[in-house]
């Protein structure tokens, strides 16, 4: 019985895939498809409940002059978060963000 199990063990030791893919390939593909299906970006207000500590931090940004208002302070904080990400996570972030933006545009404009 063991001879049957081992008979093909080394026969295909050098098996390799015909093609390999990397996250950058997916990023390129998504960029190409988003250029084809480019819908005008939409912006609308949504509701986000935050705790008083986060709200106070945003207001402190306004008071020291780093942001015009709390909404801008939130955007500044998100930009700083994005810039601190390692390269691989930035790619994943972009993929998810663009996908969500596309979904919003399709919802607003109707799927084409």
């Amino acid at each position: 019985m063991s001879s049957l199990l081992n008979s093909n063990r080394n026969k295909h030791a050098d098996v390799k895939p015909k093609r390999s893919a990397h996250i950058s390939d997916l990023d390129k593909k998504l960029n190409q498809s988003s250029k084809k299906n480019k819908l005008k970006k939409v912006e609308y207000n949504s509701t986000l409940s935050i705790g008083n500590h986060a709200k106070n931090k945003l207001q402190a940004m306004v008071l020291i002059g780093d942001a015009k208002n709390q909404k801008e302070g939130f955007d500044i904080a998100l930009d700083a978060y994005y810039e601190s990400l390692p390269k691989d996570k930035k790619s994943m972030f972009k993929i998810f963000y663009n996908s969500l933006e596309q979904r919003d545009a399709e919802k607003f404009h109707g799927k084409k």
Side-chain angles (χ1 to χ4, degrees):
M1 180 79 164
S2 68
S3 64
L4 288 175
L5 292 174
N6 293 326
S7 65
N8 289 328
R9 185 164 292 213
N10 293 325
K11 193 175 185 180
H12 301 289
D14 63 340
V15 173
K16 294 180 183 160
K18 290 180 182 177
R19 290 181 278 176
S20 62
H22 300 284
I23 191 77
S24 60
D25 298 331
L26 180 59
D27 199 24
K28 288 176 192 171
K29 187 77 171 168
L30 285 172
N31 284 338
Q32 290 170 352
S33 68
S34 69
K35 286 177 185 174
K36 289 178 190 172
N37 302 327
K38 196 75 167 181
L39 293 175
K40 193 172 187 179
K41 280 192 172 190
V42 297
E43 186 169 342
Y44 55 88
N45 290 331
S46 67
T47 339
L48 175 67
S49 295
I50 60 171
N52 66 308
H53 300 296
K55 180 185 165 297
N56 290 339
K57 288 176 186 178
L58 291 169
Q59 186 59 32
M61 289 177 73
V62 173
L63 294 172
I64 62 174
D66 286 339
K68 291 181 200 170
N69 53 47
Q70 291 180 7
K71 182 180 175 184
E72 185 180 289
F74 190 73
D75 287 336
I76 291 168
L78 286 173
D79 290 342
Y81 162 77
Y82 176 77
E83 289 303 319
S84 73
L85 290 174
K87 187 177 180 181
D88 61 328
K89 283 203 173 184
K90 276 186 181 179
S91 295
M92 289 187 343
F93 183 95
K94 278 195 243 180
I95 290 168
F96 288 131
Y97 174 74
N98 289 333
S99 175
L100 294 166
E101 287 289 316
Q102 183 72 22
R103 180 196 65 186
D104 287 348
E106 287 173 358
K107 254 198 271 187
F108 185 80
H109 295 294
K111 193 164 186 161
K112 292 187 178 185

